[in-house]
Amino acid sequence: MKTEQPSWQIKGQTCAYCEMGELIFSKCPNCGSLVLICGECSTVYEIKENKIGKEIGDISGSTKCYTCSESPHSQFPCATSEDIQIAGFKPTDYT
């Protein structure tokens, strides 16, 4: 049986591009940087001061991690609750 890791979304913010997608915390498999990826249109955003930052790519193209430039965004798995809390978010900041 295959199980999937749960996904966590930032509370109270939606994608600025499509204006409806939930923003899912995802993590670079190479360097561990966290980003937010829209569950609707796949736009990728940086996280700046625990808020959505600027658009930095999408998972359908060939954009790579803005920190290490190694892993494509399409290969970023969902971040764990522990990853999100280490980055400075409280459990009340995400669902």
Side-chain angles (χ1 to χ4, degrees):
M1 178 168 80
K2 184 179 179 182
T3 58
E4 290 188 32
Q5 181 176 322
S7 62
W8 300 99
Q9 299 87 31
I10 193 164
K11 269 189 185 174
Q13 296 186 48
T14 56
C15 176
Y17 182 77
C18 73
E19 298 180 344
M20 61 184 182
E22 294 181 328
L23 299 172
I24 299 167
F25 285 95
S26 301
K27 180 179 175 180
C28 176
N30 187 56
C31 72
S33 287
L34 290 186
V35 297
L36 294 166
I37 299 178
C38 177
E40 186 71 29
C41 70
S42 304
T43 301
V44 181
Y45 297 92
E46 70 177 340
I47 297 172
K48 199 110 173 165
E49 299 172 4
N50 288 1
K51 294 185 177 137
I52 184 174
K54 66 180 178 179
E55 181 182 330
I56 56 173
D58 61 65
I59 64 168
S60 62
S62 60
T63 57
K64 294 185 178 184
C65 178
Y66 71 101
T67 302
C68 70
S69 300
E70 292 294 319
S71 299
H73 290 123
S74 60
Q75 294 179 0
F76 280 34
C78 293
T80 65
S81 183
E82 183 178 86
D83 295 329
I84 297 165
Q85 290 178 30
I86 288 170
F89 290 90
K90 298 177 200 136
T92 55
D93 296 330
Y94 61 96
T95 59

